[in-house]
Amino acid sequence: MDAIHWKTPYLRCINTLKNCLDPLSRKEQWQDPTCFYDNAVTHHTPLRYLNSTEDAFTEVRQSKTLTKSDWVLFLASADKPANCSFKLYDSPDSVPVELLNTDNPPAQVLNQLRTVQLPNNWQFLADEENQDELIDTPIYTNLQFPNELKRLTFLSTNVPKKSNPTGYYRLTFSLPAQWVENAQSGERSVHIILHGAGSGVSAYVNGEYIGYGQDSMTETEFVIPSNLLKTEDNILNLVVYRWTDGSYLEDQDQWWLSGVFRDIELQCRVESPASLVDYVVTTLTPHKYGNETLNSLEKLNKGEGTGLVKVSSSFMCDTSLNLPDGNGDMSANFKASIYDADNELVNSVETEIPLNNESFDAEVEIEVPQPQLWSPALPYLYTLVLEVVDSRTGENVQIEATRVGIRSVEIFNGQVLVNEKPITVCGVNRHEWDPYQGKVMTEEMMLKDVFLMKQLNFNAVRCSHYPNVHRWYELCSEHGLFVVDEANIETHGFTTGLHISLLQNNPRWEGALLSRVKAMVQRSRNYPAIIGWSLGNESGCGVNTRVCADWVRATDPSRFLQYEGGSFNGDSPMILGDGRDPYCSDVICPMYDSPLRAVQVVKEENKRHGVPEDKVDDRDRMRNGKLCAPKKRPFILCEYAHAMGNSSGNLHHYWELFRSDMHPQMQGGFIWDWVEQGLSVPQYMDGNFGYGGDFGPTSGKSDTRFCINGMVSADRIPHPACFEAKHLMQPVSFRLRENTGEIVAIYIDITCLSHCPPFSELAFEWEVFGFENDKRLAYGEFSLKDEDCPYPSMFALPSTDPADKCRTLGLQKAAKACTKLYENGHEYLSLVVSAKLAVEKPWADKGYLIATQSFNADSLSTAFRVQFENLETVEDVTGTLEVVSRNGIVQVVGPSYGSEFDCNKGKLLTLHTGDQNLIVPASGLSHSFYRAATDNDLGGLESMLPVEALKPIAAKIPFSKGVLSYDHQWKGVGLDKLVSKTTLVEIAGDKDELIKDEDFKNESLSQLRITVHEDHLHNNRVRFKTKTIYCYLASGILVDIDVAAQGSFVKNILSLPRVGAKLILSPELNKLTYLGCGPHETYPDRKKGAQLGVYSTTVDDMHVAYMMPCENGGRADVHWASFSGPNGESLRVSYAFPESDMINPEVIEGMDLNAKLPKRKDRPAGYNGAQFSASRYTVPELRKAMHQFELPEVDESSPIHVHFDTAHMGLGGDVSWLPKCKQQYLVGDTGRWRYQLKLEVDQSKPVSLSSLVAHRLKNSFSSSRNNGITRSSSSFFTSN
């Protein structure tokens, strides 16, 4: 046996021992892994039982719960809840048998029930005896099983009997008399469908048991015996178990919630003469139908060609009937018709259904001339109507309908092709989640998700990690979102025992695993949005996985198969898979590979399978009678860019690769994840959103906030990272061609992704802005025709010529406008090119911004940057300074401002315009080296350890620096508790002559320089030394700052969080205008989706309310910010750093495997300005609070804390559980920084010396003398 394949046989041995210790005898249904359904109907496509063909066109476009069918009833649905009786019992044995086995239970038993709405998750219900408590605890876990399932998890999957909350639901319903009559005559049968209940459910009708099921995220369907039916007072009893053996397959990084949380449906199905019980729709596009690939493509682009719709139907037949046809055999008729989007008939076919067998399968083919193909850009849907006709009467006995999208999916030359075109997966993972009712999904919430995804340029969604409600797939098909559907399987909890593949190698569990995979495919295979199937998530790999893979490929070869849980060498992983097992996955689909690792994996896989670099035609994938994975496989990340809190840094590194012609196999991925799973109940935290551990000690303290990792908040408010993703995934992009010298022409290259709308649906425009204010200086529009698209048809074959992948367009009017503006003195210009919707869409209004790109430059040729000397030399205000010093307090009055400085403490005391002090008295300018930790800052080995007592040990592990969290390291060197001590103050006048007199007055100084030296200490150890020079000029105060880290501590930690200055401004200065990246929050490694420009906002609107408060609201590359108040008072702060400090260039990871990745520098790569923020909260306040409501109350009277950072670490975003911010965005190399700030006030309000003195006396500033400061011999200060 190969030495590397030891894990699979090892796990088989473990399972043999496990099965001996865990016998099946004396087990209940909900404890037995071989019993997952009892009396249940096989999964199938949803059936509608329409009244007429005319109804089909309306009903396929709306939720099935709105049906007008005479043969379908919904007892309860998310959009139309129903009242039912309910009680939660401690265990299954506690449920009174009288409730289940009799129509009329004793009154004392019924009186114990309460009325609740259905559907529900019972963990959202209050305890009737104590309304301040919940009846059961919601539990969140990510990595491990809840305590109730932790029973030597590496050996036992025995579900507890006693500690197993069990919900009893009692619902009364009526049936139409015709239903009962037809069912009892045998013409029809009544089915009940539980669309979602879990983790297991037993069903009883009118005192009789009818069945059991336990896949909580797919339907459980039963036939109700006809002898139990009556028209009035039917009783449905449902017993729902919180824990079953199926729970070990549902450890899916989500809240463990229980109940009946999806619709309950009744159907009265035809039995005679024939019943259509299932049907499968497949389509062939013109380039597949007839094997005329190139020729038919050309025809299609000219509006020619023919597509095909195949319908494979399964019937149950009534063999007791004698319906002679022309041949003397018994038969009924079957008709299939295709209608276009305007409900016009396209084509139809008919066939006979012989009734001489109990079952019959039929296949019909319908040709569709000149078909409109389905894609995310143009999600065109036909309507398929199926009719079963009774030959005796000629009447329809059954009418079904569904919407059909004609499209093809295949893998060719290492790429997924849809309609013969390579796609780019702009995807996101999505949990079904409503913060106020858990897994109960309304159409309103689903539409909100779909519309937001479309607005943010997502084109794909992975159903993580279970099949969704049917309406979700209908909406994705209607509005244009690719879907990768996923089986309801995850066994992540076994990782803690290093046995994640345990159940995949246990023969006893094969049926349960295969059943879930079958359910996913059988129920959802007719939705055109679904382009791929997933066998589950984080469940390891083994013999059972391969059985599932073989079944999916044999059943549905029209889609690709993916699975992350396997390993590259085919062995069973013990912890996590790498998405590379070709037996189980047609695509390479790892999670959280870095961009560099992604490129390396593709090269390794191609080399391992002997794949040449040029084109590989491996469409024929049949080997030994089985459909297999292609040798050259696409690379699509099933999860990446962990969006936890303020995250999603360096996302552009992935997208540079996804868009690059150098890496055609890299086709995108699915961001983790869409929505934060914040949970709200009034019993806890006044209804504020909570996470694991917030709802009691057993509610998930170990994994806490790992359910709070969404691109949007729980109530669907997009986080700023959404706008970064939107820009990177925009379907049409623009690139400015290089120009030199004066502007004579502007050319842009236009490229498109596969989900780009037709150009006829887009309006293009250009705008020119300056950097003095936010006013637009020039504007123009231009139009493009559909044939101008780099891919002229949505269905065109991909070109191998790079010139065909972009279109170049000259913007002559824009060039003339820029030239004129440049000649008129506008030194810096910003050209913005945009594409907006020219038509209204269901998900966005006309004029909605789809794509934009800005080009910022002087003369549009060199990068824009504020020069360091600009702050120091440019003086547009003339005048002198009036200076008075008494007892170490220096008062300065300039032409437009007044200021006081305490030379005893080295602090700026006041800064005035008129009688308004613009800074909080005595707060001064301070130095800042710590930030409120983000979730990524908190991710490290110590945070992952399951036992609290082990966490201190993590820091003592050798070589632990690379795995301990950033925040742990920062606190270890005391950055959060630095104490500043002024050691030296010097003052100088004109010509930098030191002033030695303690008390002096001078009315005609041109400048005044005050130099402050400070030590910043932790435990009496100096961490930083700073030298701050305040140079008072006529126009304002120029502050020159020099920072030097001391000792080797910077080298001993991975990065500094920030190096910068802080001001505390008066509360009134709430209005804010700045020149920098905006308009939304940006950081050094997350700013590609922002444009450099002038933006106006307010300090209060700068705050981003991440669920866990943290560093937020920052703006990257800020050159100046101006604060103003209600009475016109204003303060402008400008920033610059020396020209000698070069901007470190960014290096995109993975673009060149031979390139050396940059190490950390003193400033992050691409850092071109200050990292700026303004907030009414302090850093300690943000760091202390664990929820937004725990922050102190602030209002318009709260001071404003302003940070200008000359270096600020990136956010990171590849993962959140380890310190993985990329090296080039870290801070700290030589440990030296120099930068300048300039403080300028409103020049319209003069200040007198007398008013300045009066204001100082009013605020009672301290005049204490020395305070331990060491003076130089040349200083005028003397010691007491």
Coordinates of all heavy atoms in Angstrom, one line a residue, residues 491-552:
T491 N -19.5 17.9 8.6 CA -19.1 17.2 9.8 C -17.9 17.9 10.4 O -17.0 17.2 10.9 CB -18.8 15.7 9.5 OG1 -17.7 15.7 8.6 CG2 -20.0 15.0 8.9
H492 N -17.9 19.2 10.4 CA -16.7 19.9 10.9 C -16.3 19.6 12.3 O -15.1 19.7 12.7 CB -17.0 21.4 10.7 CG -15.8 22.3 10.6 ND1 -15.8 23.6 10.4 CD2 -14.5 22.0 10.8 CE1 -14.6 24.1 10.4 NE2 -13.8 23.2 10.6
G493 N -17.3 19.3 13.1 CA -17.0 19.0 14.5 C -16.1 17.9 14.8 O -15.4 17.8 15.8
F494 N -16.0 16.9 13.8 CA -15.0 15.8 14.0 C -13.6 16.2 13.9 O -12.7 15.5 14.2 CB -15.3 14.7 13.0 CG -16.6 13.9 13.3 CD1 -17.7 14.1 12.6 CD2 -16.7 13.0 14.4 CE1 -18.9 13.5 12.8 CE2 -17.8 12.3 14.7 CZ -19.0 12.6 13.9
T495 N -13.4 17.5 13.4 CA -12.0 18.0 13.3 C -11.3 18.0 14.7 O -10.1 17.8 14.8 CB -12.0 19.4 12.7 OG1 -12.6 19.3 11.4 CG2 -10.6 19.9 12.5
T496 N -12.1 18.3 15.7 CA -11.5 18.4 17.1 C -10.9 17.1 17.5 O -10.0 17.0 18.4 CB -12.5 18.9 18.1 OG1 -13.6 18.0 18.1 CG2 -13.0 20.3 17.8
G497 N -11.4 16.0 16.9 CA -10.8 14.7 17.2 C -9.8 14.2 16.1 O -9.4 13.0 16.1
L498 N -9.5 15.1 15.2 CA -8.7 14.8 14.0 C -9.3 13.7 13.2 O -8.5 12.8 12.7 CB -7.3 14.4 14.5 CG -6.5 15.5 15.3 CD1 -5.1 15.0 15.7 CD2 -6.5 16.8 14.6
H499 N -10.6 13.7 13.0 CA -11.3 12.6 12.3 C -12.4 13.2 11.4 O -13.5 12.7 11.4 CB -11.8 11.5 13.2 CG -10.8 10.7 14.0 ND1 -10.3 11.2 15.1 CD2 -10.2 9.6 13.7 CE1 -9.4 10.3 15.6 NE2 -9.3 9.3 14.7
I500 N -12.1 14.2 10.7 CA -13.2 14.9 9.9 C -13.8 13.9 8.9 O -15.0 14.0 8.5 CB -12.8 16.2 9.2 CG1 -14.0 17.0 8.8 CG2 -11.8 15.9 8.1 CD1 -13.6 18.4 8.3
S501 N -13.0 12.9 8.4 CA -13.5 12.0 7.4 C -14.1 10.7 8.0 O -14.4 9.8 7.3 CB -12.3 11.6 6.5 OG -11.8 12.7 5.8
L502 N -14.4 10.7 9.3 CA -14.9 9.5 10.0 C -16.1 9.0 9.3 O -16.1 7.8 8.9 CB -15.2 9.9 11.4 CG -15.6 8.7 12.3 CD1 -14.4 7.8 12.6 CD2 -16.2 9.2 13.6
L503 N -17.2 9.8 9.1 CA -18.4 9.2 8.6 C -18.4 8.9 7.1 O -19.1 8.1 6.6 CB -19.6 10.2 8.9 CG -19.8 10.5 10.4 CD1 -21.0 11.3 10.6 CD2 -19.8 9.3 11.3
Q504 N -17.4 9.6 6.4 CA -17.3 9.4 5.0 C -16.7 8.0 4.7 O -16.7 7.5 3.6 CB -16.4 10.4 4.3 CG -17.0 11.8 4.4 CD -18.2 12.0 3.4 OE1 -18.6 11.1 2.7 NE2 -18.7 13.2 3.3
N505 N -16.2 7.4 5.8 CA -15.6 6.0 5.6 C -16.3 5.0 6.4 O -15.8 3.9 6.6 CB -14.1 6.1 6.0 CG -13.2 6.8 5.0 OD1 -12.9 6.2 4.0 ND2 -12.9 8.0 5.3
N506 N -17.5 5.3 6.9 CA -18.3 4.3 7.7 C -19.4 3.8 6.8 O -20.3 4.6 6.4 CB -18.8 5.0 8.9 CG -19.5 4.1 9.9 OD1 -20.0 3.0 9.5 ND2 -19.3 4.3 11.2
P507 N -19.5 2.5 6.5 CA -20.5 2.0 5.6 C -21.9 2.2 6.2 O -22.9 2.3 5.4 CB -20.2 0.5 5.6 CG -18.8 0.3 6.1 CD -18.5 1.5 6.9
R508 N -22.0 2.3 7.5 CA -23.3 2.5 8.1 C -23.9 3.9 7.7 O -25.1 4.1 7.8 CB -23.2 2.4 9.6 CG -24.5 2.3 10.4 CD -24.2 2.1 11.9 NE -23.8 0.8 12.2 CZ -23.4 0.3 13.4 NH1 -23.5 1.2 14.4 NH2 -23.1 -0.9 13.6
W509 N -23.1 4.8 7.4 CA -23.5 6.2 7.1 C -23.6 6.5 5.6 O -24.0 7.6 5.2 CB -22.6 7.2 7.7 CG -22.7 7.3 9.2 CD1 -22.2 6.4 10.1 CD2 -23.5 8.3 9.9 NE1 -22.6 6.8 11.4 CE2 -23.3 7.9 11.3 CE3 -24.2 9.4 9.6 CZ2 -23.9 8.7 12.3 CZ3 -24.8 10.2 10.6 CH2 -24.6 9.8 11.9
E510 N -23.3 5.5 4.7 CA -23.4 5.7 3.3 C -24.8 6.1 2.9 O -25.0 7.1 2.1 CB -23.0 4.5 2.5 CG -23.1 4.6 1.0 CD -22.9 3.3 0.3 OE1 -21.9 2.6 0.6 OE2 -23.7 3.0 -0.6
G511 N -25.8 5.5 3.3 CA -27.2 5.8 2.9 C -27.6 7.2 3.3 O -28.2 7.9 2.5
A512 N -27.2 7.6 4.5 CA -27.6 8.9 5.0 C -27.0 10.0 4.1 O -27.6 11.0 3.7 CB -27.3 9.1 6.4
L513 N -25.7 9.8 3.8 CA -25.0 10.8 3.0 C -25.5 10.9 1.6 O -25.8 11.9 1.0 CB -23.5 10.5 3.0 CG -22.8 10.7 4.4 CD1 -21.4 9.9 4.4 CD2 -22.6 12.1 4.7
L514 N -25.7 9.7 1.0 CA -26.2 9.6 -0.4 C -27.6 10.2 -0.5 O -28.0 10.9 -1.4 CB -26.1 8.2 -0.9 CG -26.6 8.0 -2.3 CD1 -25.7 8.8 -3.3 CD2 -26.5 6.5 -2.7
S515 N -28.4 9.9 0.6 CA -29.8 10.4 0.6 C -29.8 11.9 0.5 O -30.6 12.5 -0.2 CB -30.5 9.9 1.8 OG -31.7 10.6 2.0
R516 N -28.9 12.6 1.2 CA -28.9 14.1 1.2 C -28.4 14.6 -0.2 O -28.9 15.6 -0.6 CB -28.0 14.6 2.3 CG -28.7 14.3 3.7 CD -27.7 14.6 4.9 NE -28.4 14.3 6.1 CZ -28.8 15.2 7.0 NH1 -28.5 16.5 6.8 NH2 -29.4 14.8 8.1
V517 N -27.5 14.0 -0.8 CA -27.0 14.4 -2.1 C -28.1 14.2 -3.1 O -28.4 15.0 -4.0 CB -25.7 13.6 -2.5 CG1 -25.4 13.9 -3.9 CG2 -24.6 14.0 -1.5
K518 N -28.8 13.0 -3.1 CA -29.9 12.8 -4.0 C -31.0 13.8 -3.8 O -31.6 14.3 -4.8 CB -30.5 11.4 -3.8 CG -29.6 10.2 -4.3 CD -30.3 8.9 -4.1 CE -29.6 7.7 -4.7 NZ -30.3 6.5 -4.5
A519 N -31.3 14.1 -2.6 CA -32.4 15.1 -2.3 C -32.1 16.4 -3.0 O -33.0 17.0 -3.6 CB -32.6 15.2 -0.8
M520 N -30.9 16.9 -2.8 CA -30.5 18.1 -3.4 C -30.7 18.1 -4.9 O -31.3 19.1 -5.5 CB -29.0 18.4 -3.1 CG -28.4 19.6 -3.9 SD -26.6 19.7 -3.7 CE -26.0 18.2 -4.5
V521 N -30.2 17.1 -5.6 CA -30.3 17.1 -7.1 C -31.7 16.9 -7.5 O -32.2 17.6 -8.4 CB -29.4 16.0 -7.6 CG1 -29.6 15.8 -9.1 CG2 -27.9 16.3 -7.3
Q522 N -32.4 15.9 -7.0 CA -33.8 15.6 -7.4 C -34.8 16.7 -7.3 O -35.7 16.8 -8.1 CB -34.2 14.3 -6.7 CG -33.5 13.1 -7.1 CD -33.7 11.9 -6.2 OE1 -34.1 12.0 -5.0 NE2 -33.5 10.7 -6.7
R523 N -34.6 17.5 -6.3 CA -35.6 18.6 -6.0 C -35.3 19.8 -6.9 O -36.2 20.6 -7.1 CB -35.6 18.9 -4.5 CG -34.4 19.7 -4.1 CD -34.3 19.8 -2.6 NE -35.2 20.8 -2.0 CZ -34.9 22.1 -1.9 NH1 -33.8 22.6 -2.3 NH2 -35.8 22.9 -1.3
S524 N -34.1 20.0 -7.3 CA -33.7 21.3 -7.8 C -33.1 21.3 -9.2 O -32.7 22.4 -9.7 CB -32.6 22.0 -6.8 OG -33.1 22.1 -5.5
R525 N -33.1 20.2 -9.9 CA -32.3 20.1 -11.1 C -32.9 20.8 -12.3 O -32.3 20.9 -13.4 CB -32.0 18.7 -11.5 CG -33.3 17.8 -11.6 CD -32.9 16.3 -11.7 NE -34.0 15.4 -11.4 CZ -33.9 14.1 -11.3 NH1 -32.7 13.5 -11.6 NH2 -34.9 13.4 -11.0
N526 N -34.1 21.4 -12.2 CA -34.8 22.1 -13.3 C -34.6 23.6 -13.2 O -35.1 24.3 -14.1 CB -36.3 21.8 -13.3 CG -36.6 20.3 -13.8 OD1 -35.7 19.7 -14.4 ND2 -37.7 19.8 -13.5
Y527 N -33.8 24.1 -12.3 CA -33.6 25.5 -12.2 C -32.4 25.9 -13.1 O -31.3 25.4 -12.8 CB -33.3 25.9 -10.8 CG -34.5 25.7 -9.9 CD1 -34.4 24.8 -8.8 CD2 -35.7 26.4 -10.1 CE1 -35.5 24.5 -8.0 CE2 -36.8 26.1 -9.2 CZ -36.7 25.2 -8.2 OH -37.8 25.0 -7.4
P528 N -32.6 26.8 -14.1 CA -31.4 27.1 -14.9 C -30.3 27.8 -14.2 O -29.2 27.8 -14.7 CB -32.1 28.0 -16.0 CG -33.4 28.5 -15.4 CD -33.8 27.4 -14.5
A529 N -30.6 28.5 -13.1 CA -29.6 29.2 -12.4 C -28.5 28.3 -11.8 O -27.3 28.7 -11.7 CB -30.2 30.0 -11.2
I530 N -28.9 27.0 -11.5 CA -27.9 26.1 -10.9 C -27.0 25.6 -12.0 O -27.4 25.0 -13.0 CB -28.6 24.9 -10.2 CG1 -29.5 25.5 -9.1 CG2 -27.6 23.9 -9.7 CD1 -30.3 24.4 -8.4
I531 N -25.7 25.9 -11.9 CA -24.7 25.4 -12.8 C -23.7 24.4 -12.3 O -22.9 23.8 -13.0 CB -23.8 26.6 -13.4 CG1 -23.1 27.3 -12.3 CG2 -24.7 27.6 -14.1 CD1 -22.1 28.3 -12.8
G532 N -23.8 24.1 -10.9 CA -23.0 23.2 -10.3 C -23.5 22.6 -9.1 O -24.4 23.2 -8.4
W533 N -23.1 21.4 -8.7 CA -23.5 20.7 -7.5 C -22.3 20.6 -6.6 O -21.2 20.3 -7.0 CB -24.1 19.3 -7.8 CG -25.2 19.2 -8.7 CD1 -25.2 18.7 -10.0 CD2 -26.5 19.7 -8.5 NE1 -26.4 18.8 -10.5 CE2 -27.3 19.4 -9.7 CE3 -27.2 20.4 -7.5 CZ2 -28.6 19.7 -9.8 CZ3 -28.5 20.7 -7.6 CH2 -29.2 20.4 -8.8
S534 N -22.5 20.7 -5.3 CA -21.5 20.5 -4.3 C -21.9 19.4 -3.3 O -23.1 19.3 -2.9 CB -21.3 21.8 -3.5 OG -20.4 21.5 -2.3
L535 N -21.0 18.5 -3.0 CA -21.3 17.3 -2.2 C -21.4 17.7 -0.7 O -21.6 16.8 0.1 CB -20.3 16.2 -2.4 CG -20.2 15.7 -3.8 CD1 -19.1 14.6 -3.8 CD2 -21.5 15.1 -4.2
G536 N -21.2 18.9 -0.3 CA -21.3 19.3 1.1 C -20.1 20.2 1.4 O -19.4 20.8 0.5
N537 N -19.8 20.4 2.6 CA -18.7 21.3 3.1 C -18.0 20.7 4.3 O -18.7 20.2 5.2 CB -19.3 22.7 3.4 CG -18.3 23.7 3.7 OD1 -17.6 24.1 2.9 ND2 -18.2 24.1 5.0
E538 N -16.7 20.8 4.3 CA -15.9 20.5 5.5 C -16.4 19.2 6.1 O -16.7 19.2 7.3 CB -15.9 21.6 6.5 CG -15.2 22.9 5.9 CD -15.2 24.1 6.8 OE1 -16.2 24.2 7.6 OE2 -14.3 24.9 6.8
S539 N -16.4 18.1 5.3 CA -16.8 16.8 5.8 C -15.8 15.7 5.5 O -16.2 14.5 5.6 CB -18.2 16.5 5.2 OG -19.2 17.4 5.6
G540 N -14.6 16.1 5.1 CA -13.7 15.1 4.8 C -14.0 14.3 3.5 O -14.9 14.8 2.8
C541 N -13.4 13.2 3.3 CA -13.6 12.4 2.1 C -13.3 11.0 2.3 O -12.6 10.6 3.3 CB -12.6 13.0 1.0 SG -13.1 12.5 -0.6
G542 N -14.0 10.1 1.5 CA -13.8 8.7 1.7 C -14.6 7.9 0.7 O -15.1 8.5 -0.3
V543 N -14.8 6.7 1.0 CA -15.6 5.8 0.2 C -17.0 6.3 -0.1 O -17.5 6.3 -1.2 CB -15.7 4.4 0.8 CG1 -16.5 3.5 -0.1 CG2 -14.3 3.8 1.0
N544 N -17.7 6.8 0.9 CA -19.0 7.3 0.8 C -19.1 8.5 -0.1 O -20.0 8.7 -0.9 CB -19.6 7.6 2.1 CG -19.8 6.4 3.0 OD1 -19.8 5.3 2.5 ND2 -19.8 6.6 4.3
T545 N -18.1 9.4 0.0 CA -18.0 10.5 -0.9 C -18.0 10.1 -2.4 O -18.6 10.7 -3.2 CB -16.8 11.4 -0.6 OG1 -16.5 11.3 0.8 CG2 -17.0 12.8 -1.0
R546 N -17.2 9.1 -2.7 CA -17.1 8.7 -4.0 C -18.3 8.1 -4.6 O -18.7 8.2 -5.8 CB -15.9 7.7 -4.2 CG -14.6 8.4 -3.7 CD -13.3 7.7 -4.0 NE -12.2 8.5 -3.7 CZ -11.0 8.3 -4.3 NH1 -10.8 7.3 -5.1 NH2 -10.0 9.1 -4.0
V547 N -19.1 7.4 -3.7 CA -20.4 6.9 -4.1 C -21.3 8.0 -4.5 O -22.0 8.0 -5.5 CB -21.0 6.0 -3.0 CG1 -22.4 5.7 -3.3 CG2 -20.2 4.8 -2.7
C548 N -21.3 9.1 -3.7 CA -22.1 10.2 -4.0 C -21.7 10.9 -5.3 O -22.5 11.3 -6.1 CB -22.0 11.2 -2.8 SG -22.7 10.6 -1.3
A549 N -20.4 11.1 -5.5 CA -19.9 11.7 -6.7 C -20.3 10.9 -7.9 O -20.7 11.5 -8.9 CB -18.3 11.8 -6.6
D550 N -20.1 9.6 -7.9 CA -20.5 8.7 -9.0 C -22.0 8.9 -9.3 O -22.4 9.0 -10.5 CB -20.2 7.3 -8.7 CG -18.7 7.0 -8.8 OD1 -18.0 7.8 -9.4 OD2 -18.3 5.9 -8.2
W551 N -22.8 9.0 -8.3 CA -24.3 9.1 -8.5 C -24.6 10.5 -9.2 O -25.4 10.5 -10.1 CB -25.0 9.0 -7.2 CG -26.5 9.0 -7.4 CD1 -27.4 7.9 -7.6 CD2 -27.4 10.2 -7.4 NE1 -28.6 8.4 -7.8 CE2 -28.7 9.7 -7.7 CE3 -27.1 11.5 -7.3 CZ2 -29.8 10.6 -7.8 CZ3 -28.2 12.4 -7.4 CH2 -29.5 12.0 -7.6
V552 N -24.0 11.5 -8.7 CA -24.3 12.9 -9.3 C -23.9 12.9 -10.7 O -24.7 13.4 -11.6 CB -23.6 14.0 -8.4 CG1 -23.8 15.3 -9.1 CG2 -24.2 14.0 -7.0

